[in-house]
Amino acid sequence: MSWFRQVDQYGLVSLIIDSISCRPLRALIAVLSIAVAMGGGMTMVGVSESLEATVQQGYASRQVDLMLMQANKSNPMTSRISETFVDQVRKIDGVQGAQAALIDSLLLDNDSGILVYGWPPGYQEISYRQGGEVIELQQGQVLIGRTAASLHDLTPGKTIELNLGDFEIIDFFEANSFFESGVLFMRLDDLQQLTSARETVTFIFINLDQDLTESSRWQLMEEIEAINPILKVVTTEEFLQKNQLTASVRGLGRIILVANALLSILIISTIMVLTVSERRQELAVLRAMGWSATRVSMLVLLETAVLATVAALIGGLIGLVGMKASLIYVQTLGVYSQSIVTLQQIMWLGISTVVIATIGAALPIYFTLNITTSEALRK
Amino acid sequence: MALLELQNISRVYGGVIRALDDVSLSITAGETVALLGASGSGKSTLLNIIAGFETPSSGTVRVAGEPVSTQQPDKFHQNIIGFLFQQFNLLDHLSAVRNVELALFPTCRKAQQRYLNSCKLLKEVGLGDRLHSRAALLSGGERQRVAFCRSIANQPQLLLADEPTGNLDKASSKKLLSIVANYMSSHQGTLIVATHDDEVAKICQRSIRLEDGRVVE
Ligand SMILES: Nc1ncnc2c1ncn2[C@@H]1O[C@H](COP(=O)(O)OP(=O)(O)OP(=O)(O)O)[C@@H](O)[C@H]1O
Ligand SMILES: [Mg+2]
């Protein structure tokens, strides 16, 4: 331990370690409560960020610029517009391509719900490779994402019942986003028939020419909406912002994060106030021996910072586990997501935890140092 | 010159309770003084004011000619005043040696030095085998000896003690008093000790009696 003595010549570190380890129960309660508060916040923020990023990936990989849907629909999944708008959109100058898709959730084997995408003929999402050849899906055939397959215990070759119609699983669908690997793909006409939505689609995905200026983009959007008053066009970013699922999870995540921050301050302050009579005597004794107010505060704040740092590490682990568990749970509801949280985000969360905890400790100290020594030492 | 000089000190609580009423006295360096008086006569209040733990309602306290009110309080407590409490006021969760070290923190930067000094002091009062015991586990007499080491760790000019034997049995009191008396004679220390205990008064050269906040002899 001589190296430690060398580093800690002034002895502050060993005093703090001593001071913490001599009151293990108090330290444990403080560490656990801060860790749980941080872990909970991290879980919620992690889940919301992950869902958002995963959904975004899907659109980015398809290079969708605009989404056309039914106006006045708060939940975009309930949007229903006529298939015939696709041709009209394609004719507009500046539009590179447009694809219609119907999205609906169907009853799988009379048991659980599954999200199904219906794509029109010629679209790569409903084609598969066999012996080097690209073959398009026939009626009555579906492709399955790998996550959906493992979740519902399905493999290519099996026959499934969807809304009372029989379908053969032809192959896996190699989704380019995790979100879509939880989905079933079929021909648009099949899906329209199954859901009695003849010539109807949910969205039209639009790709634009790359070299458009900002103003001509706006003009283009107006032009598209002018096709029919029932239509509304939004940018992909806007769509994702409005997407109820990601938006509500994000909102909830933020609320819980703030609530957690307040809760941690409250918890720390409570712990400090609960021990304040003991602590008050202790701090007053130090003052009586000529410790300056700064030195006394430093001792207590450093002590809390050490506890909070340990708590942040544990909280980070709780957060990671909580996030994984929540995402697995969300999957059973039919939404698929990877956990996408950066090390940087975790670090920031950890640092804020330590800061918040230290503020929580600072308040009672402030009040303790404000009374006279003789008052503090009177039993 | 007097080490300590009180001039017309009064302390009034809540506008009505006159804990100290126009106290003036002077104590020279090397004197040991017993502060006597009935319960509620103002002994603790007087010691607290001398120690700078509270401020008088009126009057001036001078140490070595300097008014206490103009001194830097942290330096004053580090170098000039040592204080022994009736309730020991140790940090119960820390070891004996840690408690003494705490007093040396503001005055000595080297952890090693603080530790060695503290051990030496504790050995001198017969606690060499209890260095690393938690204060909470020590007997009252042992605790007060730890507290004594802490109070003299920085070699204060003035040692104040408020009923230091008030919570001790006869044997422990006797042991503590012989330690204090020894220290005072070998260091020419100045001591003011508030007490009801005749044994304590016996080790002092002089006594001052308070009655209802006034000095009567
Ligand atoms: N903070 C305070 N607020 C109000 N009254 C106080 C306060 N401190 C002391 N007093 C009063 O001042 C008077 C002197 O109290 P002090 O504690 O100095 O007496 P004492 O001589 O030390 O008594 P004892 O021998 O019982 O310790 C008492 O009447 C007490 O009630
Ligand atoms: Mg008293």
Side-chain angles (χ1 to χ4, degrees), chain A residues 320-341:
Chain A
L320 281 178
V321 172
M323 203 163 64
K324 283 263 186 279
S326 306
L327 288 176
I328 288 171
Y329 171 71
V330 171
Q331 265 184 28
T332 66
L333 305 176
V335 179
Y336 302 93
S337 174
Q338 291 161 292
S339 52
I340 305 172
V341 166

Side-chain angles (χ1 to χ4, degrees), chain A residues 117-299:
Chain A
Y117 280 31
W119 294 100
Y123 209 57
Q124 59 151 1
E125 256 80 352
I126 51 163
S127 56
Y128 58 98
R129 279 173 183 281
Q130 203 170 56
E133 241 183 301
V134 178
I135 304 170
E136 193 155 283
L137 283 185
Q138 301 295 302
Q139 290 202 320
Q141 298 180 333
V142 294
L143 297 176
I144 192 166
R146 290 200 179 263
T147 311
S150 72
L151 195 67
H152 296 283
D153 199 17
L154 297 171
T155 51
K158 278 196 177 170
T159 301
I160 51 172
E161 200 183 283
L162 288 166
N163 280 22
L164 300 177
D166 279 342
F167 284 82
E168 190 195 350
I169 300 173
I170 294 296
D171 199 356
F172 285 117
F173 172 77
E174 299 306 336
N176 40 24
S177 88
F178 197 79
F179 180 69
E180 290 185 354
S181 98
V183 171
L184 216 55
F185 293 81
M186 66 164 66
R187 292 168 60 108
L188 178 59
D189 48 2
D190 267 351
L191 186 55
Q192 285 172 336
Q193 204 176 347
L194 276 179
T195 58
S196 318
R198 238 162 248 297
E199 299 193 345
T200 305
V201 294
T202 310
F203 303 119
I204 295 173
F205 298 106
I206 302 169
N207 305 346
L208 300 179
D209 287 340
Q210 292 299 302
D211 47 7
L212 288 180
T213 64
E214 186 76 5
S215 64
S216 50
R217 272 174 77 111
W218 285 114
Q219 212 175 337
L220 202 80
M221 287 170 73
E222 279 175 19
E223 223 173 307
I224 294 170
E225 278 188 348
I227 294 173
N228 192 305
I230 196 184
L231 297 177
K232 185 175 70 170
V233 67
V234 294
T235 62
T236 310
E237 298 82 49
E238 214 181 327
F239 172 75
L240 291 174
Q241 294 257 305
K242 286 219 177 95
N243 185 315
Q244 269 200 327
L245 180 70
T246 53
S248 59
V249 174
R250 190 193 311 133
L252 198 63
R254 299 284 140 86
I255 291 171
I256 292 190
L257 187 69
V258 171
N260 265 298
L262 293 177
L263 197 68
S264 329
I265 295 184
L266 203 70
I267 288 170
I268 301 274
S269 294
T270 310
I271 293 168
M272 302 310 269
V273 170
L274 280 180
T275 54
V276 85
S277 52
E278 174 197 13
R279 198 91 202 179
R280 176 204 274 191
Q281 177 253 2
E282 179 184 329
L283 303 189
V285 168
L286 293 175
R287 294 286 279 137
M289 291 187 302
W291 283 51
S292 66
T294 319
R295 194 189 296 269
V296 172
S297 314
M298 277 282 284
L299 176 71

Side-chain angles (χ1 to χ4, degrees), chain A residues 309-356:
Chain A
T309 306
V310 176
L313 293 176
I314 298 172
L317 277 180
I318 294 178
L320 281 178
V321 172
M323 203 163 64
K324 283 263 186 279
S326 306
L327 288 176
I328 288 171
Y329 171 71
V330 171
Q331 265 184 28
T332 66
L333 305 176
V335 179
Y336 302 93
S337 174
Q338 291 161 292
S339 52
I340 305 172
V341 166
T342 61
L343 196 64
Q344 210 176 19
Q345 282 169 312
I346 297 179
M347 253 174 54
W348 274 115
L349 217 55
I351 291 170
S352 358
T353 301
V354 174
V355 170
I356 287 170

Side-chain angles (χ1 to χ4, degrees), chain A residues 378, chain B residues 13 17 19 37-46 162-163 196:
Chain A
R378 191 168 294 127
Chain B
Y13 289 111
I17 302 165
S39 182
S41 58
K43 304 181 295 294
S44 296
T45 306
L46 188 62
D162 192 355
E163 298 187 41
H196 295 289

Side-chain angles (χ1 to χ4, degrees), chain A residues 8-12 15 289-291 295, chain B residues 75 78-79 98 100-118 153-154:
Chain A
D8 188 31
Q9 272 195 19
Y10 193 42
L12 194 62
L15 176 63
M289 291 187 302
W291 283 51
R295 194 189 296 269
Chain B
K75 290 265 176 292
Q78 285 162 26
N79 303 319
R98 268 279 187 233
V100 183
E101 280 183 83
L102 285 176
L104 292 166
F105 239 88
T107 53
C108 169
R109 292 188 63 83
K110 288 250 179 275
Q112 183 77 4
Q113 195 63 50
R114 292 196 298 266
Y115 176 75
L116 293 176
N117 285 356
S118 306
N154 287 311

Side-chain angles (χ1 to χ4, degrees), chain B residues 39-105:
Chain B
S39 182
S41 58
K43 304 181 295 294
S44 296
T45 306
L46 188 62
L47 287 181
N48 282 335
I49 285 174
I50 297 170
F53 294 161
E54 59 186 291
T55 43
S57 308
S58 62
T60 320
V61 182
R62 282 197 174 77
V63 173
E66 290 282 320
V68 168
S69 54
T70 64
Q71 302 206 21
Q72 216 265 321
D74 298 330
K75 290 265 176 292
F76 181 69
H77 289 126
Q78 285 162 26
N79 303 319
I80 296 176
I81 299 291
F83 206 105
L84 261 184
F85 304 91
Q86 180 175 358
Q87 350 261 359
F88 323 128
N89 274 325
L90 296 177
L91 272 59
D92 282 341
H93 60 288
L94 293 177
S95 67
V97 66
R98 268 279 187 233
N99 269 283
V100 183
E101 280 183 83
L102 285 176
L104 292 166
F105 239 88

